[in-house]
Amino acid sequence: MRIVIAGGHGKIALLLTRLAAGRGDTVVGLVRNPDHVQDVRDHGGDAVVLDLESAPAEQVAAALAGADAVVFAAGAGPGSGTARKETVDRDAAALLADAALVAGVRRHVQISAMGLDRADDPGMDAVFAVYLRAKDAAERDLRGRDLDWTILRPGRLTDDPAAGAVALAESVEPGAVSRADVAAVVLALLDDPGTAGLTLELVGGDTPVAEAVQSLPRTRAE
């Protein structure tokens, strides 16, 4: 499988690159900073320098040409202001979906976040509220597209080693999950076209990743 990852230098993206490349997949990470190309290569992938905050859809589509699947793993990251929450977490997600349609790449996994309905909670940090709304807008945009999409909402992310066991369903209790386990779940979802059309929540749990994905409701005949 040829996989293109937007936000290719992120922690989850690099872990996903290593997992996929390690089993023989071809992985291309889209990165904004040329200094990050070697890191992607060190994890077994290749990299294309592309700024998803400014590139036209046609340019992004060219980078997706020949892909079997795309993953949106980009994010403005901690410390960024409200403007970049919108230009990256919302607008870049829509741009990638636009480009996937142009390039004819139907399989699409978007990494989102749990708790998007908390944006208006009393005392919510203003910047984080914009982040939550941006992720929510990106999800709603993707659901309206003619793509084989799956949306994955991880809980609080940690850098712990992969446990190999998770709780994965349309709704789970809030909790934490390692980035390594998120990467493993993304790869398993990419392998399973029957999970298209699902919005899933993910935290650490007791079910092995492969079993957790296999037990999900099927959205289409296999």
Side-chain angles (χ1 to χ4, degrees):
M1 181 161 45
R2 182 178 178 86
I3 305 166
V4 178
I5 307 174
H9 191 254
K11 292 182 178 181
I12 293 173
L14 290 174
L15 291 164
L16 175 58
T17 298
R18 177 166 285 164
L19 280 177
R23 68 175 198 179
D25 292 331
T26 299
V27 185
V28 178
L30 305 183
V31 299
R32 184 170 60 93
N33 187 340
D35 293 341
H36 293 163
V37 169
Q38 190 59 50
D39 287 341
V40 176
R41 290 176 176 165
D42 289 345
H43 282 75
D46 200 357
V48 173
V49 178
L50 193 66
D51 189 347
L52 292 175
E53 292 179 87
S54 60
E58 293 76 12
Q59 184 181 358
V60 183
L64 303 186
D68 299 296
V70 298
V71 176
F72 184 80
S80 59
T82 56
R84 295 202 70 230
K85 304 300 185 192
E86 294 176 341
T87 59
V88 178
D89 293 281
R90 183 191 66 193
D91 297 346
L95 174 62
L96 187 70
D98 284 339
L101 287 167
V102 172
V105 183
R106 294 197 56 83
R107 190 69 178 109
H108 194 114
V109 173
Q110 181 165 292
I111 300 175
S112 185
M114 287 180 66
L116 300 187
D117 58 351
R118 296 183 294 126
D120 296 319
D121 284 0
M124 175 61 65
D125 175 77
V127 175
F128 194 64
V130 172
Y131 165 80
L132 294 174
R133 293 189 185 102
K135 286 295 189 188
D136 181 61
E139 287 191 7
R140 288 186 282 107
D141 175 83
L142 185 58
R143 289 192 195 98
R145 295 178 182 270
D146 182 22
L147 291 167
D148 296 330
W149 54 263
T150 306
I151 295 169
L152 183 64
R153 296 170 165 175
R156 180 175 57 82
L157 297 169
T158 75
D159 290 321
D160 294 339
V166 297
L168 176 69
E170 292 176 313
S171 179
V172 300
E173 290 298 315
V177 62
S178 72
R179 290 176 172 88
D181 283 321
V182 175
V185 169
V186 170
L187 191 59
L189 292 172
L190 289 171
D191 286 341
D192 191 336
T195 62
L198 296 177
T199 299
L200 303 166
E201 296 184 345
L202 171 67
V203 296
D206 301 320
T207 306
V209 168
E211 182 182 337
V213 171
Q214 289 166 4
S215 66
L216 292 169
R218 302 293 94 182
T219 59
R220 63 184 65 188
E222 303 233 32

